[in-house]
Amino acid sequence: MRARGYGLCDVGFAALYAYAGFVLAPSRSTAFVVALSIVITLLGAAGAALVVQGDGGRASRRLGIVACGVLLAFTVVCLVLLGCSAAFLYGTYGAIGRGLGALTLVVAALVVELFGLLPLFQLRFHLRGSAPTR
């Protein structure tokens, strides 16, 4: 039952990432678009596999672990780049740069919340094995 819940979360978050990344705030960076497309594809496929197979499928579990790993790597890269941007703004543009740097750190906190928490909880579920739920 929990596997199907995580599968629905995966599919929902994949749709949310696609809408936010391609409709609300499209990027001109080809690398970002490709990385986001890979994350969305893996997360959607893992979610669909978890919904269909549930706890019983090894393939869905492996795909879920891979999707979570890729999403965590994407999160870490985004955080590093946002941290570099905040440092550059803070050091280059004086008082306005300090404010923009602080705003960039707020965005980094949102990245942790929107991209980092789901794969952490899901990896804990997948790596612990499919123990029966109470």
Side-chain angles (χ1 to χ4, degrees), residues 10-93:
D10 283 348
V11 171
F13 272 93
L16 177 71
Y17 297 155
Y19 181 71
F22 298 128
V23 176
L24 287 181
S27 176
R28 290 183 179 178
S29 170
T30 306
F32 181 79
V33 170
V34 168
L36 186 62
S37 299
I38 290 170
V39 166
I40 290 168
T41 303
L42 281 174
L43 205 57
L50 282 172
V51 168
V52 171
Q53 292 182 351
D55 287 334
R58 274 193 219 175
S60 65
R61 184 173 168 205
R62 286 184 183 151
L63 189 57
I65 290 171
V66 168
C68 289
V70 170
L71 185 55
L72 282 176
F74 182 79
T75 303
V76 168
V77 169
C78 283
L79 289 175
V80 167
L81 293 175
L82 284 169
C84 291
S85 296
F88 175 77
L89 290 169
Y90 185 84
T92 305
Y93 292 107

Side-chain angles (χ1 to χ4, degrees), residues 54 65 67 110 117-118 121:
I65 290 171
L110 288 172
L117 290 180
L118 175 68
F121 290 123

Side-chain angles (χ1 to χ4, degrees), residues 90-108:
Y90 185 84
T92 305
Y93 292 107
I96 192 78
R98 284 187 218 116
L100 290 172
L103 189 61
T104 304
L105 294 178
V106 169
V107 171

Side-chain angles (χ1 to χ4, degrees), residues 64-65 68-69 72 118-128:
I65 290 171
C68 289
L72 282 176
L118 175 68
L120 286 177
F121 290 123
Q122 195 168 354
L123 270 178
R124 181 176 173 250
F125 169 74
H126 283 307
L127 295 177
R128 162 176 80 124

